Amino acid sequence: MIENLRSQYLSLGSRDRLAVGALLVFFGILTFYFAIWQPLHDFKVSSQDELNRQSEMLQGMRETEKDARASSGNATTAPTGQSLLSQVSRTAQQFGIKPNRLQPEGNDAVSVWFDEVSFNDLIKWLDSQSQSGMSVRQISIDREELPGRVNARIVLRSN
């Protein structure tokens, strides 16, 4: 087949051979551009965009890290020097009630959730917290079916 094409090419006139050669060069350039150059260029551009996006994300994470480290230096502490979370947990256990969930609220407060605890034990515990320098910022108490049992969400703040 190639030999057949070659014989047809050689049978052409010199101007026709020049035109066919120019067309082959033109199609070769088009093939190189669309098959090799354009995909490489597109890959380079998308890689650069991805690098820029990742660099911006890294910069944001570094700024967040600085903020996190700065705020971790301001750990939530009670007047006794203990963290609010550990003080709340420890004193609740002393009164026979167990918090279901503890969550820090800023630098000077903690949210505490109780499910099905004794109302009287909860009030005694709150009184002990106020005597140790804590105050109630927010409280929500819902009664349960069993008499004297409640669910509560309390936000305590150190004074």
Side-chain angles (χ1 to χ4, degrees):
M1 178 165 158
I2 293 178
E3 193 57 39
N4 188 17
L5 288 174
R6 183 168 193 235
S7 66
Q8 285 181 356
Y9 175 74
L10 291 175
S11 67
L12 295 173
S14 66
R15 291 181 74 182
D16 289 339
R17 276 189 269 176
L18 184 63
V20 169
L23 281 174
L24 286 174
V25 169
F26 176 73
F27 284 121
I29 291 171
L30 283 178
T31 302
F32 173 77
Y33 180 78
F34 287 110
I36 297 172
W37 182 261
Q38 189 65 37
L40 285 174
H41 177 67
D42 291 347
F43 178 76
K44 179 186 173 201
V45 168
S46 67
S47 296
Q48 188 64 42
D49 291 344
E50 180 69 14
L51 177 65
N52 291 340
R53 189 179 67 77
Q54 293 290 338
S55 295
E56 289 173 7
M57 183 185 302
L58 178 62
Q59 184 63 29
M61 292 174 87
R62 285 184 176 154
E63 289 173 9
T64 303
E65 177 191 25
K66 290 175 187 174
D67 294 343
R69 289 190 190 277
S71 67
S72 70
N74 302 330
T76 306
T77 56
T80 62
Q82 297 175 321
S83 76
L84 288 175
L85 294 175
S86 63
Q87 179 188 4
V88 167
S89 178
R90 182 182 50 77
T91 58
Q93 288 176 357
Q94 289 174 351
F95 282 85
I97 57 177
K98 185 176 190 296
N100 291 42
R101 184 172 160 199
L102 294 166
Q103 177 178 327
E105 297 283 333
N107 292 333
D108 64 345
V110 63
S111 290
V112 188
W113 285 263
F114 294 98
D115 287 337
E116 298 183 16
V117 296
S118 166
F119 178 76
N120 291 339
D121 291 340
L122 181 68
I123 296 301
K124 290 175 188 174
W125 174 75
L126 281 174
D127 183 49
S128 76
Q129 293 302 303
S130 66
Q131 291 176 7
S132 67
M134 304 283 284
S135 63
V136 175
R137 183 189 308 174
Q138 183 181 17
I139 189 167
S140 171
I141 300 176
D142 300 315
R143 72 176 182 191
E144 280 293 303
E145 288 184 25
L146 291 173
R149 306 297 277 181
V150 294
N151 293 332
R153 178 184 183 270
I154 305 165
V155 179
L156 296 171
R157 182 183 60 189
S158 64
N159 293 332

